Amino acid sequence: MVRVRQRFAAPRLLDPEAETRRALAVLELQDRVRSGDSVAITVGSRGIANIAAITRGIVDHCRSLGLVPFIVPAMGSHGGGTAAGQQAVIEGYGVTEAAMGCPIRSSMETVIVAETPQGFPVHFDRHAFSADHLIVAGRIKPHTKFVGDIESGLHKMMLIGLGKHAGALVYHRAIEDYSFAEIIRAVADIVLARCKVLCGVAIVENAVDETAVIEAVRPSEFAAREIALLRQARDWLPRLPVADCDLLIVDRIGKDISGTGMDTNIIGRKYNDHVATSEDAANCKRILVRGLTEKTHGNATGIGIAEFTTRRVIDAMDYEVTRINCVTAGHPTGAMLPVWYDSDREAITAALATLGLTPADQSRVVQIRDTLHLAEVLVSEACLPELAGRDDINVSSAPQPMSFDAAGQLADVG
């Protein structure tokens, strides 16, 4: 294996908290609120860079307007589908009552706001609905399953995040009969009309998991700005160093990394769990998952996308949480267990034996920390001819055998 460093376009904001306050000030919200009004602020379950600082910036700006802010976990069925579990998720990101200086009101209770033209109910978090105002904050990026001009962002927070478990169940069932675009527009129209949305705070990250854009958005501009910002987010997505690989080794997956544990826009399993299509940017013949992140709290959603894993992952899983998340999302295969082995060495040996006629020492292997951190990765010698002469790649080590400890566990990328 050879260590390589990738160079990506990586504009970033030096002070996300101050940038959040500046962006909100542009909207002149003081003309739309009264002192003493309550305002609910959403926080999701993804591992958004600087989410605590950004949320604190929103809270502080609201206070400067005389508003009374509180935070609502907005994450569908995540956190085990419980109020305590969802609060624990955001607290793990540093979004605590003490740090934010305002209450967190976590509940799985919803109100049914209306019925869409398609005939399904629109569920909405009870606490958020009772507030005088709502600020929808979320990261805009390509979705791991759905495709369109609006994918994951402010609209999805209004749809799935604030719909809680009940809403997520309804919308993921509706996707079997209607397109994602139809569902998201129908629900958004109702939420924007009836749920007192004050504004949105849209976040875009660069290729190395840093905050690159924070934009405050008027409700009337949600669709137009999300479409434009999604194009930017897609341009900034990181990539594997080679598009085709025989074995992708992923050191860790988790809900703080991606909704599917590992971003299918990166690994090339967006349309089919176990094979790349012509629409995918990468083609990985086999995938081995070695571990779970601490912040995923045992949620191994997406493990079913891999063909191989280890006992360490199986033991770390909270299968009930994983099952709830995957079934609610209409992605039951995401919770299916891969073939697993006691050690990484055994799993890698087995995976390489399934590659057909390709000898192990000629296989194209890529090892990554996770799909958010791709600036430094390991590749096998067979990948080097494709990397030669590329100005975005720096080969930073000589070839070395894979490093296993006495128990047969592989060293992390680092």
Side-chain angles (χ1 to χ4, degrees):
M1 304 295 286
V2 177
R3 187 172 295 272
V4 301
R5 297 181 186 275
Q6 300 194 90
R7 286 187 289 275
F8 302 110
R12 71 184 181 97
L13 299 176
L14 297 178
D15 190 341
E17 184 174 343
E19 182 64 21
T20 300
R21 293 194 297 268
R22 187 206 63 77
L24 285 166
V26 171
L27 297 187
E28 299 182 337
L29 298 175
Q30 63 270 16
D31 298 333
R32 297 179 51 201
V33 302
R34 294 177 302 178
S35 181
D37 283 355
S38 62
V39 56
I41 301 165
T42 68
V43 177
S45 60
R46 301 292 188 260
I48 300 173
N50 300 304
I51 187 59
I54 293 168
T55 304
R56 190 165 51 245
I58 299 172
V59 170
D60 288 350
H61 184 74
C62 288
R63 278 217 195 83
S64 75
L65 302 178
L67 297 174
V68 180
F70 65 90
I71 290 166
V72 172
M75 58 186 76
S77 65
H78 301 173
T82 69
Q86 296 202 343
Q87 182 160 339
V89 169
I90 66 171
E91 287 177 342
Y93 300 147
V95 182
T96 65
E97 292 185 342
M100 300 299 108
C102 72
I104 296 173
R105 296 179 184 168
S106 184
S107 171
M108 301 308 294
E109 294 183 45
T110 62
V111 297
I112 296 177
V113 178
E115 190 174 272
T116 69
Q118 294 85 357
F120 55 83
V122 174
H123 285 266
F124 204 75
D125 179 271
R126 180 175 62 85
H127 289 304
F129 189 73
S130 68
D132 295 312
H133 306 283
L134 169 67
I135 294 179
V136 182
R139 178 177 57 192
I140 294 176
K141 64 177 295 186
H143 196 277
T144 53
K145 284 292 180 185
F146 305 130
V147 180
D149 55 5
I150 292 175
E151 295 187 14
S152 186
L154 302 180
H155 280 74
K156 186 165 176 279
M157 287 294 280
M158 292 189 292
L159 182 83
I160 305 294
L162 287 163
K164 312 301 283 195
H165 192 181
L169 276 171
V170 170
Y171 308 140
H172 282 110
R173 288 172 180 168
I175 199 71
E176 299 298 323
D177 299 313
Y178 301 96
S179 72
F180 185 59
E182 287 178 290
I183 295 168
I184 211 166
R185 295 296 183 122
V187 174
D189 286 347
I190 290 171
V191 171
L192 290 171
R194 303 192 181 191
C195 297
K196 299 166 284 189
V197 178
L198 182 62
C199 68
V201 176
I203 305 160
V204 181
E205 294 177 352
N206 62 27
V208 292
D209 192 30
E210 297 171 333
T211 310
V213 173
I214 296 174
E215 182 175 321
V217 185
R218 293 180 174 85
S220 61
E221 298 175 348
F222 268 29
R225 292 310 303 149
E226 188 156 349
I227 290 169
L229 290 170
L230 177 61
R231 287 196 294 265
Q232 181 64 81
R234 191 175 281 118
D235 288 344
W236 282 340
L237 271 181
R239 299 282 188 270
L240 297 177
V242 293
D244 295 294
C245 74
D246 295 310
L247 174 61
L248 175 66
I249 302 172
V250 185
D251 288 345
R252 59 182 198 160
I253 67 170
K255 295 298 291 189
D256 52 320
I257 302 298
S258 172
T260 47
M262 46 186 166
D263 193 337
T264 55
N265 295 285
I266 305 298
I267 64 174
R269 303 278 177 101
K270 184 165 183 172
Y271 306 90
N272 185 305
D273 279 358
H274 291 290
V275 66
T277 71
S278 60
E279 301 298 317
D280 285 306
N283 176 17
C284 301
K285 189 175 289 186
R286 297 285 185 262
I287 297 178
L288 162 65
V289 169
R290 301 181 52 241
L292 302 181
T293 66
E294 181 180 349
K295 290 181 179 179
T296 201
H297 301 289
N299 188 335
T301 290
I303 189 65
I305 297 173
E307 288 78 29
F308 295 90
T309 191
T310 66
R311 179 187 291 275
R312 183 172 61 253
V313 173
I314 301 299
D315 290 345
M317 284 181 66
D318 184 326
Y319 196 73
E320 180 64 15
V321 167
T322 303
R323 178 169 55 195
I324 288 171
N325 194 172
C326 290
V327 171
T328 301
H331 185 205
T333 55
M336 295 175 70
L337 299 182
V339 176
W340 58 270
Y341 290 86
D342 286 336
S343 71
D344 293 330
R345 183 191 291 274
E346 292 172 284
I348 292 168
T349 300
L352 293 175
T354 68
L355 298 178
L357 297 176
T358 304
D361 62 351
Q362 295 176 31
S363 58
R364 295 162 61 86
V365 181
V366 177
Q367 183 183 353
I368 64 175
R369 179 185 178 192
D370 54 56
T371 54
L372 273 182
H373 302 94
L374 295 171
E376 186 165 292
V377 303
L378 296 171
V379 302
S380 62
E381 290 178 277
C383 299
L384 291 180
E386 185 177 334
L387 304 183
R390 282 175 47 177
D391 59 10
D392 63 325
I393 293 286
N394 175 48
V395 177
S396 58
S397 77
Q400 298 287 336
M402 283 185 172
S403 177
F404 296 96
D405 64 17
Q409 306 303 348
L410 184 66
D412 291 342
V413 171

PDB file of all heavy atoms in Angstrom, residues 39 41 55 67 69 74 96 125 129 136 156 169 187 196 218 233 235 292 305 324 331 337 340 359 370 378:
ATOM      1  N   VAL A  39     -39.023  31.207  19.210  1.00  0.00           N
ATOM      2  CA  VAL A  39     -38.519  30.735  17.916  1.00  0.00           C
ATOM      3  C   VAL A  39     -37.854  29.380  18.110  1.00  0.00           C
ATOM      4  O   VAL A  39     -36.992  29.202  18.971  1.00  0.00           O
ATOM      5  CB  VAL A  39     -37.540  31.742  17.269  1.00  0.00           C
ATOM      6  CG1 VAL A  39     -36.374  32.086  18.176  1.00  0.00           C
ATOM      7  CG2 VAL A  39     -37.042  31.236  15.917  1.00  0.00           C
ATOM      8  N   ILE A  41     -35.457  26.410  16.639  1.00  0.00           N
ATOM      9  CA  ILE A  41     -34.286  26.310  15.760  1.00  0.00           C
ATOM     10  C   ILE A  41     -33.962  24.833  15.574  1.00  0.00           C
ATOM     11  O   ILE A  41     -33.796  24.102  16.556  1.00  0.00           O
ATOM     12  CB  ILE A  41     -33.077  27.038  16.371  1.00  0.00           C
ATOM     13  CG1 ILE A  41     -33.404  28.518  16.597  1.00  0.00           C
ATOM     14  CG2 ILE A  41     -31.838  26.881  15.489  1.00  0.00           C
ATOM     15  CD1 ILE A  41     -32.419  29.220  17.520  1.00  0.00           C
ATOM     16  N   THR A  55     -25.116  26.941  15.364  1.00  0.00           N
ATOM     17  CA  THR A  55     -26.357  27.009  16.141  1.00  0.00           C
ATOM     18  C   THR A  55     -26.284  28.114  17.182  1.00  0.00           C
ATOM     19  O   THR A  55     -27.262  28.858  17.391  1.00  0.00           O
ATOM     20  CB  THR A  55     -26.635  25.655  16.818  1.00  0.00           C
ATOM     21  OG1 THR A  55     -26.677  24.625  15.819  1.00  0.00           O
ATOM     22  CG2 THR A  55     -27.961  25.686  17.566  1.00  0.00           C
ATOM     23  N   LEU A  67     -36.054  37.821  20.737  1.00  0.00           N
ATOM     24  CA  LEU A  67     -36.778  36.553  20.638  1.00  0.00           C
ATOM     25  C   LEU A  67     -36.368  35.604  21.762  1.00  0.00           C
ATOM     26  O   LEU A  67     -35.308  35.773  22.376  1.00  0.00           O
ATOM     27  CB  LEU A  67     -36.502  35.901  19.278  1.00  0.00           C
ATOM     28  CG  LEU A  67     -36.971  36.680  18.048  1.00  0.00           C
ATOM     29  CD1 LEU A  67     -36.507  35.992  16.767  1.00  0.00           C
ATOM     30  CD2 LEU A  67     -38.491  36.811  18.049  1.00  0.00           C
ATOM     31  N   PRO A  69     -35.418  31.894  22.052  1.00  0.00           N
ATOM     32  CA  PRO A  69     -35.128  30.711  21.232  1.00  0.00           C
ATOM     33  C   PRO A  69     -35.145  29.407  22.012  1.00  0.00           C
ATOM     34  O   PRO A  69     -34.896  29.380  23.225  1.00  0.00           O
ATOM     35  CB  PRO A  69     -33.715  30.995  20.711  1.00  0.00           C
ATOM     36  CG  PRO A  69     -33.088  31.819  21.790  1.00  0.00           C
ATOM     37  CD  PRO A  69     -34.198  32.634  22.408  1.00  0.00           C
ATOM     38  N   ALA A  74     -34.168  17.698  14.929  1.00  0.00           N
ATOM     39  CA  ALA A  74     -34.965  17.439  13.724  1.00  0.00           C
ATOM     40  C   ALA A  74     -34.265  16.362  12.919  1.00  0.00           C
ATOM     41  O   ALA A  74     -33.389  16.648  12.106  1.00  0.00           O
ATOM     42  CB  ALA A  74     -35.126  18.723  12.913  1.00  0.00           C
ATOM     43  N   THR A  96     -25.602  21.571  23.495  1.00  0.00           N
ATOM     44  CA  THR A  96     -26.202  21.335  24.805  1.00  0.00           C
ATOM     45  C   THR A  96     -26.903  22.611  25.269  1.00  0.00           C
ATOM     46  O   THR A  96     -26.633  23.710  24.760  1.00  0.00           O
ATOM     47  CB  THR A  96     -25.139  20.943  25.832  1.00  0.00           C
ATOM     48  OG1 THR A  96     -24.243  22.062  26.015  1.00  0.00           O
ATOM     49  CG2 THR A  96     -24.329  19.729  25.364  1.00  0.00           C
ATOM     50  N   ASP A 125     -43.246  18.402  13.994  1.00  0.00           N
ATOM     51  CA  ASP A 125     -42.866  18.401  15.406  1.00  0.00           C
ATOM     52  C   ASP A 125     -43.767  19.332  16.219  1.00  0.00           C
ATOM     53  O   ASP A 125     -43.970  20.497  15.874  1.00  0.00           O
ATOM     54  CB  ASP A 125     -41.408  18.838  15.532  1.00  0.00           C
ATOM     55  CG  ASP A 125     -40.946  18.888  16.970  1.00  0.00           C
ATOM     56  OD1 ASP A 125     -41.093  19.951  17.606  1.00  0.00           O
ATOM     57  OD2 ASP A 125     -40.438  17.867  17.453  1.00  0.00           O
ATOM     58  N   PHE A 129     -44.143  23.425  15.972  1.00  0.00           N
ATOM     59  CA  PHE A 129     -45.419  23.973  15.489  1.00  0.00           C
ATOM     60  C   PHE A 129     -45.995  24.980  16.471  1.00  0.00           C
ATOM     61  O   PHE A 129     -46.681  25.929  16.071  1.00  0.00           O
ATOM     62  CB  PHE A 129     -46.416  22.834  15.251  1.00  0.00           C
ATOM     63  CG  PHE A 129     -47.671  23.272  14.548  1.00  0.00           C
ATOM     64  CD1 PHE A 129     -47.655  23.592  13.200  1.00  0.00           C
ATOM     65  CD2 PHE A 129     -48.871  23.366  15.244  1.00  0.00           C
ATOM     66  CE1 PHE A 129     -48.814  24.007  12.553  1.00  0.00           C
ATOM     67  CE2 PHE A 129     -50.035  23.770  14.607  1.00  0.00           C
ATOM     68  CZ  PHE A 129     -50.004  24.092  13.246  1.00  0.00           C
ATOM     69  N   VAL A 136     -35.149  27.053  10.056  1.00  0.00           N
ATOM     70  CA  VAL A 136     -34.748  25.740   9.550  1.00  0.00           C
ATOM     71  C   VAL A 136     -33.274  25.805   9.156  1.00  0.00           C
ATOM     72  O   VAL A 136     -32.908  26.516   8.217  1.00  0.00           O
ATOM     73  CB  VAL A 136     -35.596  25.326   8.330  1.00  0.00           C
ATOM     74  CG1 VAL A 136     -35.183  23.939   7.844  1.00  0.00           C
ATOM     75  CG2 VAL A 136     -37.078  25.358   8.671  1.00  0.00           C
ATOM     76  N   LYS A 156     -35.515  18.910   3.030  1.00  0.00           N
ATOM     77  CA  LYS A 156     -35.538  17.608   3.695  1.00  0.00           C
ATOM     78  C   LYS A 156     -35.696  17.773   5.200  1.00  0.00           C
ATOM     79  O   LYS A 156     -36.313  16.935   5.872  1.00  0.00           O
ATOM     80  CB  LYS A 156     -34.257  16.832   3.376  1.00  0.00           C
ATOM     81  CG  LYS A 156     -34.250  15.407   3.914  1.00  0.00           C
ATOM     82  CD  LYS A 156     -33.157  14.591   3.276  1.00  0.00           C
ATOM     83  CE  LYS A 156     -33.082  13.198   3.880  1.00  0.00           C
ATOM     84  NZ  LYS A 156     -32.348  13.175   5.149  1.00  0.00           N
ATOM     85  N   LEU A 169     -41.941   7.836   8.362  1.00  0.00           N
ATOM     86  CA  LEU A 169     -42.604   6.614   7.906  1.00  0.00           C
ATOM     87  C   LEU A 169     -43.536   6.896   6.734  1.00  0.00           C
ATOM     88  O   LEU A 169     -43.516   6.186   5.720  1.00  0.00           O
ATOM     89  CB  LEU A 169     -43.407   6.000   9.058  1.00  0.00           C
ATOM     90  CG  LEU A 169     -42.671   5.106  10.047  1.00  0.00           C
ATOM     91  CD1 LEU A 169     -43.579   4.766  11.224  1.00  0.00           C
ATOM     92  CD2 LEU A 169     -42.178   3.828   9.373  1.00  0.00           C
ATOM     93  N   VAL A 187     -45.003  18.730   0.479  1.00  0.00           N
ATOM     94  CA  VAL A 187     -44.873  18.957   1.922  1.00  0.00           C
ATOM     95  C   VAL A 187     -44.323  20.347   2.199  1.00  0.00           C
ATOM     96  O   VAL A 187     -44.803  21.057   3.095  1.00  0.00           O
ATOM     97  CB  VAL A 187     -43.979  17.873   2.553  1.00  0.00           C
ATOM     98  CG1 VAL A 187     -43.730  18.184   4.032  1.00  0.00           C
ATOM     99  CG2 VAL A 187     -44.620  16.500   2.411  1.00  0.00           C
ATOM    100  N   LYS A 196     -45.087  28.815  10.048  1.00  0.00           N
ATOM    101  CA  LYS A 196     -44.442  30.039  10.544  1.00  0.00           C
ATOM    102  C   LYS A 196     -42.912  30.029  10.376  1.00  0.00           C
ATOM    103  O   LYS A 196     -42.168  30.375  11.311  1.00  0.00           O
ATOM    104  CB  LYS A 196     -44.831  30.270  12.013  1.00  0.00           C
ATOM    105  CG  LYS A 196     -46.330  30.464  12.204  1.00  0.00           C
ATOM    106  CD  LYS A 196     -46.753  30.351  13.656  1.00  0.00           C
ATOM    107  CE  LYS A 196     -46.767  28.899  14.110  1.00  0.00           C
ATOM    108  NZ  LYS A 196     -47.364  28.710  15.459  1.00  0.00           N
ATOM    109  N   ARG A 218     -34.548  33.517   2.754  1.00  0.00           N
ATOM    110  CA  ARG A 218     -35.950  33.836   2.977  1.00  0.00           C
ATOM    111  C   ARG A 218     -36.826  32.656   2.556  1.00  0.00           C
ATOM    112  O   ARG A 218     -36.496  31.953   1.601  1.00  0.00           O
ATOM    113  CB  ARG A 218     -36.338  35.079   2.192  1.00  0.00           C
ATOM    114  CG  ARG A 218     -35.666  36.358   2.692  1.00  0.00           C
ATOM    115  CD  ARG A 218     -36.077  37.574   1.875  1.00  0.00           C
ATOM    116  NE  ARG A 218     -35.540  38.793   2.462  1.00  0.00           N
ATOM    117  CZ  ARG A 218     -34.315  39.267   2.221  1.00  0.00           C
ATOM    118  NH1 ARG A 218     -33.505  38.595   1.402  1.00  0.00           N
ATOM    119  NH2 ARG A 218     -33.886  40.381   2.788  1.00  0.00           N
ATOM    120  N   ALA A 233     -22.464  22.357  -3.890  1.00  0.00           N
ATOM    121  CA  ALA A 233     -22.076  21.253  -3.018  1.00  0.00           C
ATOM    122  C   ALA A 233     -21.618  20.051  -3.833  1.00  0.00           C
ATOM    123  O   ALA A 233     -20.654  19.366  -3.453  1.00  0.00           O
ATOM    124  CB  ALA A 233     -23.251  20.867  -2.115  1.00  0.00           C
ATOM    125  N   ASP A 235     -20.255  20.093  -6.796  1.00  0.00           N
ATOM    126  CA  ASP A 235     -18.932  20.400  -7.373  1.00  0.00           C
ATOM    127  C   ASP A 235     -17.819  20.201  -6.353  1.00  0.00           C
ATOM    128  O   ASP A 235     -16.694  19.849  -6.713  1.00  0.00           O
ATOM    129  CB  ASP A 235     -18.892  21.845  -7.879  1.00  0.00           C
ATOM    130  CG  ASP A 235     -19.708  22.050  -9.141  1.00  0.00           C
ATOM    131  OD1 ASP A 235     -20.048  21.043  -9.793  1.00  0.00           O
ATOM    132  OD2 ASP A 235     -20.022  23.209  -9.461  1.00  0.00           O
ATOM    133  N   LEU A 292     -17.314   1.336  13.451  1.00  0.00           N
ATOM    134  CA  LEU A 292     -18.351   2.353  13.566  1.00  0.00           C
ATOM    135  C   LEU A 292     -17.782   3.566  14.294  1.00  0.00           C
ATOM    136  O   LEU A 292     -16.918   3.430  15.159  1.00  0.00           O
ATOM    137  CB  LEU A 292     -19.559   1.829  14.356  1.00  0.00           C
ATOM    138  CG  LEU A 292     -20.269   0.578  13.836  1.00  0.00           C
ATOM    139  CD1 LEU A 292     -21.446   0.243  14.747  1.00  0.00           C
ATOM    140  CD2 LEU A 292     -20.737   0.765  12.406  1.00  0.00           C
ATOM    141  N   ILE A 305     -24.718  -2.247   2.752  1.00  0.00           N
ATOM    142  CA  ILE A 305     -24.148  -1.879   1.451  1.00  0.00           C
ATOM    143  C   ILE A 305     -22.813  -2.587   1.239  1.00  0.00           C
ATOM    144  O   ILE A 305     -22.388  -2.813   0.103  1.00  0.00           O
ATOM    145  CB  ILE A 305     -23.983  -0.352   1.358  1.00  0.00           C
ATOM    146  CG1 ILE A 305     -25.359   0.328   1.440  1.00  0.00           C
ATOM    147  CG2 ILE A 305     -23.268   0.067   0.092  1.00  0.00           C
ATOM    148  CD1 ILE A 305     -25.297   1.840   1.528  1.00  0.00           C
ATOM    149  N   ILE A 324     -34.657   0.163  13.087  1.00  0.00           N
ATOM    150  CA  ILE A 324     -35.676   1.219  13.064  1.00  0.00           C
ATOM    151  C   ILE A 324     -35.356   2.245  11.982  1.00  0.00           C
ATOM    152  O   ILE A 324     -36.221   2.633  11.189  1.00  0.00           O
ATOM    153  CB  ILE A 324     -35.781   1.895  14.444  1.00  0.00           C
ATOM    154  CG1 ILE A 324     -36.434   0.968  15.457  1.00  0.00           C
ATOM    155  CG2 ILE A 324     -36.570   3.209  14.353  1.00  0.00           C
ATOM    156  CD1 ILE A 324     -36.368   1.483  16.889  1.00  0.00           C
ATOM    157  N   HIS A 331     -35.382   1.497   3.470  1.00  0.00           N
ATOM    158  CA  HIS A 331     -34.122   0.917   2.970  1.00  0.00           C
ATOM    159  C   HIS A 331     -33.742  -0.268   3.856  1.00  0.00           C
ATOM    160  O   HIS A 331     -32.697  -0.250   4.511  1.00  0.00           O
ATOM    161  CB  HIS A 331     -33.035   2.000   2.982  1.00  0.00           C
ATOM    162  CG  HIS A 331     -31.741   1.567   2.387  1.00  0.00           C
ATOM    163  ND1 HIS A 331     -30.532   2.157   2.737  1.00  0.00           N
ATOM    164  CD2 HIS A 331     -31.422   0.618   1.467  1.00  0.00           C
ATOM    165  CE1 HIS A 331     -29.561   1.591   2.067  1.00  0.00           C
ATOM    166  NE2 HIS A 331     -30.080   0.655   1.293  1.00  0.00           N
ATOM    167  N   LEU A 337     -26.850  -7.795   7.336  1.00  0.00           N
ATOM    168  CA  LEU A 337     -25.476  -8.025   7.768  1.00  0.00           C
ATOM    169  C   LEU A 337     -24.633  -8.636   6.655  1.00  0.00           C
ATOM    170  O   LEU A 337     -25.037  -9.620   6.030  1.00  0.00           O
ATOM    171  CB  LEU A 337     -25.452  -8.946   8.993  1.00  0.00           C
ATOM    172  CG  LEU A 337     -26.172  -8.411  10.231  1.00  0.00           C
ATOM    173  CD1 LEU A 337     -26.022  -9.393  11.376  1.00  0.00           C
ATOM    174  CD2 LEU A 337     -25.640  -7.042  10.626  1.00  0.00           C
ATOM    175  N   TRP A 340     -19.064 -11.685   7.850  1.00  0.00           N
ATOM    176  CA  TRP A 340     -18.151 -11.090   8.823  1.00  0.00           C
ATOM    177  C   TRP A 340     -17.139 -12.105   9.321  1.00  0.00           C
ATOM    178  O   TRP A 340     -17.364 -13.310   9.319  1.00  0.00           O
ATOM    179  CB  TRP A 340     -18.905 -10.459   9.986  1.00  0.00           C
ATOM    180  CG  TRP A 340     -19.804 -11.372  10.766  1.00  0.00           C
ATOM    181  CD1 TRP A 340     -21.112 -11.629  10.525  1.00  0.00           C
ATOM    182  CD2 TRP A 340     -19.465 -12.126  11.924  1.00  0.00           C
ATOM    183  NE1 TRP A 340     -21.615 -12.496  11.445  1.00  0.00           N
ATOM    184  CE2 TRP A 340     -20.625 -12.829  12.331  1.00  0.00           C
ATOM    185  CE3 TRP A 340     -18.290 -12.279  12.680  1.00  0.00           C
ATOM    186  CZ2 TRP A 340     -20.650 -13.663  13.439  1.00  0.00           C
ATOM    187  CZ3 TRP A 340     -18.312 -13.113  13.782  1.00  0.00           C
ATOM    188  CH2 TRP A 340     -19.477 -13.793  14.151  1.00  0.00           C
ATOM    189  N   PRO A 359      -5.164 -11.548  -9.466  1.00  0.00           N
ATOM    190  CA  PRO A 359      -4.333 -11.971  -8.324  1.00  0.00           C
ATOM    191  C   PRO A 359      -4.342 -10.896  -7.237  1.00  0.00           C
ATOM    192  O   PRO A 359      -4.460  -9.703  -7.522  1.00  0.00           O
ATOM    193  CB  PRO A 359      -2.931 -12.114  -8.935  1.00  0.00           C
ATOM    194  CG  PRO A 359      -3.148 -12.215 -10.413  1.00  0.00           C
ATOM    195  CD  PRO A 359      -4.376 -11.413 -10.704  1.00  0.00           C
ATOM    196  N   ASP A 370     -13.004   7.380   6.223  1.00  0.00           N
ATOM    197  CA  ASP A 370     -14.451   7.390   6.044  1.00  0.00           C
ATOM    198  C   ASP A 370     -14.721   8.244   4.822  1.00  0.00           C
ATOM    199  O   ASP A 370     -13.796   8.794   4.211  1.00  0.00           O
ATOM    200  CB  ASP A 370     -15.178   7.926   7.293  1.00  0.00           C
ATOM    201  CG  ASP A 370     -14.678   9.298   7.726  1.00  0.00           C
ATOM    202  OD1 ASP A 370     -14.705  10.228   6.893  1.00  0.00           O
ATOM    203  OD2 ASP A 370     -14.240   9.450   8.882  1.00  0.00           O
ATOM    204  N   LEU A 378      -4.922   5.410   1.482  1.00  0.00           N
ATOM    205  CA  LEU A 378      -3.939   4.402   1.079  1.00  0.00           C
ATOM    206  C   LEU A 378      -4.445   3.708  -0.176  1.00  0.00           C
ATOM    207  O   LEU A 378      -5.635   3.391  -0.281  1.00  0.00           O
ATOM    208  CB  LEU A 378      -3.711   3.377   2.189  1.00  0.00           C
ATOM    209  CG  LEU A 378      -3.114   3.897   3.495  1.00  0.00           C
ATOM    210  CD1 LEU A 378      -3.162   2.810   4.565  1.00  0.00           C
ATOM    211  CD2 LEU A 378      -1.683   4.371   3.285  1.00  0.00           C
TER     212      LEU A 378
END
